[in-house]
Amino acid sequence: MKYFALTSDAVTQIEKEHGQIAREMAQECVVLLENDGILPLEETGKIALYGNGARETVRGGTGSGEVNARPDANVTIERGLQEAGFTVTTQDWLERYGAKRSAEVAAHRQMLHEEAQKNHMPEVIVGFYHPLGETEPVEITPEDIASSETDTAVYVISRNSGEGADRCDQAGDYRLFDQERENIRRLGEAYRKVIVVLNIGGVMDLSELKNMPGVGAVVLMSQLGVVGGAVLADVLTGRVNPSGKLSDTWAADYGDYPSSEGFSHNDGDVDDEFYTDGIYVGYRYFDSFGKEPLYPFGYGKSYTVFSWEITRVALEEGEVKIGVRVRNTGDRFAGKEVLQAYVSAPQGDLEKPQKELRAFRKTSLLAPGEEEEITLAFPAVSMASYSEARAAWVLEKGEYVVAVGESSRHTKPAARLILEETVVTQQLRNLFAGSGAAVTEISPAQAGKEGAALAKEEVANITEIRLDPSQIACSSVRYQGERQEMTTQRTETLSVQDVESGLCTLEELVAQLSVQEMAQLCVGTQRLGEEADGSVIGNASATVPGAAGDSSAVCLTSRGIRGMITADGPAGLRLQPHFKADRTGRLVPGGGILGDIQDPFDLRGFEESEVIDYYQYCTAIPIGWALAQSWNPELVARTGSMVGEEMTQLGVDLWLAPALNIHRNPLCGRNFEYYSEDPLLSGKIAAAMTQGVQSHPGKGVTIKHFAANNQEDNRYFTNSHVSERALREIYLKGFEIAVREAQPLAIMTSYNLINGVHAANNYDLLQSAARDEWGYEGMVMTDWFTSQDTPMITGTAQERKYPISASTGCIYAGNDLQMPGCRKNVDDIVKAVESGEELDGYRITRADLQYNAMHIVGTVLKVRKGDSV
């Protein structure tokens, strides 16, 4: 057995270089929400540090998004401040809080152990569904304040979340703990400078904090991987000028979000989620319905001041291009600014949001007095809306106003684009009607609400451009018909090497495969059921311990079709950092990670002198939410390249990331992994990450979770009822952008149903939309255990309103690879193809199975390009 891991635990040069890249990335993710002038701090010295994240700094969420980095590489906020030259003078308070937290952690671990024993399941599975909550901070006493001997206090609010459970609108989660509120109030009375730091993975209620006397600065640090404490110190001291911008709208009250009442467990129904907010998600709702946010989408302060002016607006070869001259008018700090272009489309047969983001650009680092000319550009056809009545993307006649600004609420008009007649830009088919057609969606007009309209004098003197309808091409799509069986007259055994050398086609190779071979190729290496080897979710690879799983190598010897190794993400590679094996490659049991606990190694049956230690230390990068707040696709691509380099080093083929589901509601448990409420920003960041990773030969990403996966409670069986238009304009658009711009090697389907059909079994989602309409060329895989009934993970059938996704349905839909796979998946596929009979609601043919196998073998051909690196 060959392992790619290192046999030394010494810090490598690559680790050092990657740590620096991660730090540079994280520096651009920090958002300065409030600052009355106390930041940056003029000097180091004594500082009072409080809050549940001071020592227990959260570097990223839980579940598959967690990265097992080198333990001593994690820079907490306390450590970061100390290494920057500060003396933390509140050790007594930190020790008291630490003791309280340790007691709660110990009790939680005991609960996990007891539940695992009682239910005969691994503790990691119990932990997925019973995550450790936050610990309410201890009281800050007058003695703590007096003994701190400083006029400067930093209070860190931390929140954590993860897959398998949604957050709650309650104290200690979305809201402040009572003791947090009281502690911060006392700091505001006692210290001259009070800085509140948000070490969080998603939006929370800041309405009380924003108006709290004495709080001079609020810094959204987010969760920045292993370098978080160092980066925060960079920002607080002014070594780095924060340039992050919000990727979500922050409401003054949770009830202001249009999905709040019916989201997840809020209404007691986790089986059915009705997307009554339609296209009005995030700022599209707040701006269209005239609802004032606490902080608008795209907002973020700086230590300096920028001015900007529009220098030109033109339509060139179908693209709207806006030239903007940006100047740093401050006199002390260099900085970066983000300019955003929004379009307000005319109201016609289709109701439209008050404005929508169409382009953005971040400047380079501008010194005081320095200026830069940037261009914001977008295709004119991207302004189209989806018409269900026409089954088409449509530019309705009227006036399209382009505005530029620093946030969705702070823009000024740049141009009017005049279209004299309605134009269809792409003729499609409606694909997702189902139960979504019956959802009653909110409407600004029906609600008597109206967003802030542009004053006539604002648009009177701006550039006017007339769009020529005859120059706007209308494209159409050829949808797949009945799949035809692949055949060949070749009698010699064909291999992937023959395809690579041009001696045969991929279709000829696939035509030679037996039903049994193809069924095994379409199912991951079996790890549960009768073939169980003790592996659990997120740790099921034979050659890269801790990786999520492998595809089948059943045809390796006969045809050179090797297995592919997948590793979880998206905050870096999630692998087992330390494992042991003997000289024959036989793995020593143990070494797995659960939180900060490592299972002991079981050396029984091994000669210790023959055992080799292996190490797989990976770099933990900022969470997806933080990456989007950088608004810097170029830097995200560089970070992706860093991940690709680690994949090459450690033998990983496919990274199960990036994740780009929409932040429909702030309580979604996995929002920390996802980017934004906006599909353009999400798609652009995902495309950049994809391009970075895939710049390394043979390395690929897996964009996920496709699609409308916005709820973690009952995630395997929740049914998203959503209109065709909302799906296309909001929930699919980011995936479409990533596919068209970057061609990810793989797509992962989501657990949920969409309008009554499991995403994993949805032909129109996987074939008609992704492949036929967008031109997707890669492989589709399921999320883990989607199509295998595993009660310890999916629950029992008696607990469900909807059935589990069908293995045969995956083959029908073109969901090529089912992970992690079990024997029943293979048997069901073989039985259905060979009998020709319907099984679990689907009838599949040999041609269907060939089609799936072809995508898998095609992806193997792509990853093989990295084998010689």
Side-chain angles (χ1 to χ4, degrees), residues 785-827:
F785 301 97
T786 291
S787 59
Q788 54 195 92
D789 208 343
T790 311
M792 75 168 70
I793 296 169
T794 59
T796 63
Q798 291 75 24
E799 300 169 336
R800 309 171 193 153
K801 178 176 180 179
Y802 297 105
I804 196 164
S805 170
S807 184
T808 50
C810 290
I811 300 300
Y812 167 79
N815 202 332
D816 311 304
L817 179 60
Q818 299 178 50
M819 294 295 287
C822 66
R823 186 72 243 171
K824 187 176 186 301
N825 291 151
V826 175
D827 292 343

Side-chain angles (χ1 to χ4, degrees), residues 765-785:
L765 178 69
L766 308 186
Q767 179 62 46
S768 301
R771 296 192 186 279
D772 297 339
E773 293 181 4
W774 307 344
Y776 180 57
E777 299 170 356
M779 176 183 73
V780 179
M781 71 171 73
T782 68
D783 202 344
W784 266 231
F785 301 97

Side-chain angles (χ1 to χ4, degrees), residues 546-558:
D550 303 341
S551 67
S552 176
V554 63
C555 295
L556 175 60
T557 302
S558 61

Side-chain angles (χ1 to χ4, degrees), residues 11-206:
V11 177
T12 66
Q13 183 61 32
I14 287 179
E15 283 185 82
K16 295 177 183 177
E17 293 171 359
H18 288 187
Q20 183 58 35
I21 293 171
R23 185 166 180 165
E24 291 173 10
M25 179 74 254
Q27 288 168 345
E28 297 212 9
C29 301
V30 177
V31 182
L32 183 62
L33 294 177
E34 301 287 351
N35 186 23
D36 66 1
I38 66 172
L39 289 180
L41 298 174
E42 296 295 336
E43 57 185 26
T44 57
K46 293 181 178 180
I47 195 166
L49 180 62
Y50 304 98
N52 62 340
R55 284 182 176 170
E56 300 286 335
T57 308
V58 180
R59 66 189 186 201
T62 64
S64 62
E66 189 174 8
V67 175
N68 302 318
R70 186 182 290 272
D72 58 2
N74 188 38
V75 182
T76 66
I77 290 174
E78 181 185 28
R79 176 180 164 184
L81 292 174
Q82 290 171 335
E83 291 180 352
F86 290 95
T87 299
V88 176
T89 61
T90 48
Q91 297 297 325
D92 286 347
W93 188 93
L94 294 172
E95 291 294 333
R96 294 202 311 276
Y97 172 76
K100 181 179 181 181
R101 178 65 175 177
S102 295
E104 291 190 11
V105 169
H108 183 256
R109 288 175 182 167
Q110 182 61 31
M111 181 276 291
L112 294 182
H113 178 72
E114 292 173 357
E115 286 295 309
Q117 295 272 341
K118 181 173 69 175
N119 296 295
H120 308 289
M121 63 175 63
E123 290 184 21
V124 66
I125 301 299
V126 180
F128 258 63
Y129 298 102
H130 298 86
L132 175 64
E134 309 299 336
T135 297
E136 186 163 13
V138 297
E139 179 186 6
I140 296 175
T141 66
E143 292 75 20
D144 293 320
I145 295 170
S147 63
S148 66
E149 301 179 340
T150 179
D151 66 351
T152 304
V154 173
Y155 195 96
V156 184
I157 298 172
S158 287
R159 295 290 186 269
N160 208 353
S161 62
E163 62 178 302
D166 289 313
R167 296 170 59 200
C168 295
D169 178 25
Q170 63 186 27
D173 192 342
Y174 185 73
R175 301 181 184 277
L176 294 174
F177 278 119
D178 290 342
Q179 192 62 60
E180 282 177 327
R181 185 185 308 106
E182 178 60 21
N183 282 347
I184 297 171
R185 185 191 65 77
R186 290 183 182 180
L187 298 187
E189 295 173 348
Y191 292 91
R192 188 168 65 89
K193 300 176 181 178
V194 177
I195 304 154
V196 175
V197 174
L198 305 175
N199 173 219
I200 59 180
V203 173
M204 65 179 294
D205 184 0
L206 296 187

Side-chain angles (χ1 to χ4, degrees), residues 734-750:
F735 288 95
E736 180 181 357
I737 292 169
V739 166
R740 290 186 184 275
E741 295 190 3
Q743 277 295 339
L745 258 61
I747 292 175
M748 179 188 289
T749 53
S750 53

Side-chain angles (χ1 to χ4, degrees), residues 360-636:
F360 61 90
R361 183 72 182 271
K362 194 169 198 173
T363 68
S364 58
L365 186 67
L366 300 179
E370 187 178 4
E371 64 183 28
E372 179 182 3
E373 182 97 13
I374 64 172
T375 300
L376 301 170
F378 60 90
V381 294
S382 71
M383 301 186 299
S385 303
Y386 189 78
S387 167
E388 295 177 11
R390 293 173 179 250
W393 287 97
V394 175
L395 279 171
E396 291 197 301
K397 66 180 181 180
E399 183 176 274
Y400 293 78
V401 178
V402 181
V404 175
E406 308 96 2
S407 76
S408 69
R409 282 297 175 104
H410 299 92
T411 63
K412 56 186 178 183
R416 291 184 297 157
L417 309 179
I418 310 298
L419 182 64
E420 297 290 353
E421 61 183 71
T422 297
V423 178
V424 172
T425 63
Q426 189 177 36
Q427 186 62 57
L428 304 175
R429 290 193 319 213
N430 286 333
L431 303 176
F432 307 107
S435 58
V439 174
T440 301
E441 297 178 332
I442 59 175
S443 159
Q446 293 178 5
K449 301 291 184 180
E450 196 171 292
L454 293 169
K456 289 185 178 180
E457 58 270 19
E458 288 186 279
V459 299
N461 298 315
I462 60 176
T463 301
E464 180 176 300
I465 298 174
R466 295 201 167 266
L467 300 174
D468 184 350
S470 67
Q471 296 301 307
I472 301 175
C474 176
S475 63
S476 60
V477 172
R478 181 178 180 180
Y479 292 95
Q480 184 187 62
E482 183 179 350
R483 294 168 182 151
Q484 301 300 308
E485 186 173 334
M486 301 172 198
T487 60
T488 181
Q489 302 300 315
R490 305 282 287 270
T491 57
E492 73 276 26
T493 300
L494 300 175
S495 68
V496 291
Q497 291 87 348
D498 294 328
V499 178
E500 290 169 336
S501 62
L503 297 177
C504 74
T505 65
L506 174 59
E507 290 80 2
E508 286 177 313
L509 188 159
V510 172
Q512 286 190 344
L513 298 177
S514 70
V515 170
Q516 182 66 231
E517 287 173 326
M518 289 188 289
Q520 292 192 56
L521 282 175
C522 291
V523 176
T525 51
Q526 291 78 40
R527 299 291 172 174
L528 293 176
E530 67 273 20
E531 299 177 54
D533 63 357
S535 299
V536 296
I537 185 172
N539 185 9
S541 173
T543 56
V544 182
D550 303 341
S551 67
S552 176
V554 63
C555 295
L556 175 60
T557 302
S558 61
R559 299 181 184 275
I561 305 172
R562 72 168 178 84
M564 293 177 287
I565 300 166
T566 65
D568 270 322
L573 298 178
R574 184 172 183 259
L575 304 176
Q576 184 171 317
H578 178 207
F579 66 93
K580 297 174 181 280
D582 66 15
R583 297 187 187 279
T584 68
R586 186 165 60 106
L587 274 175
V588 176
I593 300 289
L594 173 60
D596 59 351
I597 305 173
Q598 185 172 30
D599 292 336
F601 288 104
D602 183 359
L603 289 165
R604 289 175 297 178
F606 291 85
E607 291 288 338
E608 288 197 43
S609 61
E610 295 295 307
V611 170
I612 302 171
D613 289 281
Y614 292 91
Y615 301 92
Q616 305 178 120
Y617 291 119
C618 304
T619 306
I621 64 175
I623 59 174
W625 188 48
L627 293 176
Q629 289 171 172
S630 76
W631 291 67
N632 192 336
E634 291 80 11
L635 195 52
V636 170

